[in-house]
Amino acid sequence: MKDQIPQAVQKCHELLLWVIPQLDKFPRNRRFTLGDKIENTLLDVLSLLVEATYTRKTKVRLLEQVNTQLTVLRHLWRLAFELRVIAQKQYSYGANLFVELGKQIGGWQKQASS
């Protein structure tokens, strides 16, 4: 195992650093439903990524779970935009961060399954 943090873990951490202040701006009626769901799911993704970092046997299964959670997050993020909870600029920036995280996870999955 390398001494450095996997890129996917770092990207997820950076995404959380950016997303949490965005969620804090959600209107009260959305913050405690949609906002909490986004935040908790993203924290679950980080947890699964860290777990995958330190395991050998279940790495592929964990990364599959992460991909499923990331798909849910993309839908929740789009829903927040469609409900006009976030502006176009924030939606686009966040969507790009989700794509970048997905690429890192996909690369890790390929590496783990070979």
Side-chain angles (χ1 to χ4, degrees):
M1 181 77 205
K2 298 176 185 176
D3 287 25
Q4 65 183 20
I5 297 172
Q7 193 67 17
V9 175
Q10 185 60 38
K11 287 282 184 192
C12 188
H13 179 92
E14 291 168 8
L15 178 57
L16 272 161
L17 279 175
W18 182 81
V19 162
I20 290 173
Q22 303 306 312
L23 299 175
D24 289 342
K25 299 174 190 172
F26 277 26
R28 184 175 179 86
N29 63 336
R30 297 286 179 246
R31 171 64 184 129
F32 298 108
T33 54
L34 187 57
D36 282 351
K37 182 67 175 172
I38 292 169
E39 184 173 343
N40 289 331
T41 304
L42 197 47
L43 289 167
D44 289 344
V45 166
L46 179 63
S47 180
L48 288 168
L49 288 171
V50 169
E51 189 176 344
T53 301
Y54 296 104
T55 188
R56 290 177 188 230
K57 295 180 182 178
T58 59
K59 190 179 303 280
V60 173
R61 183 184 57 79
L62 289 169
L63 293 173
E64 287 171 356
Q65 283 181 273
V66 168
N67 253 340
T68 301
Q69 293 288 356
L70 193 57
T71 300
V72 169
L73 279 165
R74 287 183 181 124
H75 283 281
L76 293 171
W77 192 246
R78 190 178 88 209
L79 183 61
F81 173 68
E82 290 170 344
L83 290 171
R84 299 177 187 193
V85 178
I86 54 173
Q88 171 75 40
K89 186 176 177 181
Q90 284 77 21
Y91 169 74
S92 296
Y93 186 78
N96 285 333
L97 293 176
F98 284 118
V99 168
E100 287 302 313
L101 177 57
K103 287 178 183 178
Q104 293 298 323
I105 294 165
W108 196 6
Q109 271 185 298
K110 285 181 184 178
Q111 180 187 19
S113 45
S114 57

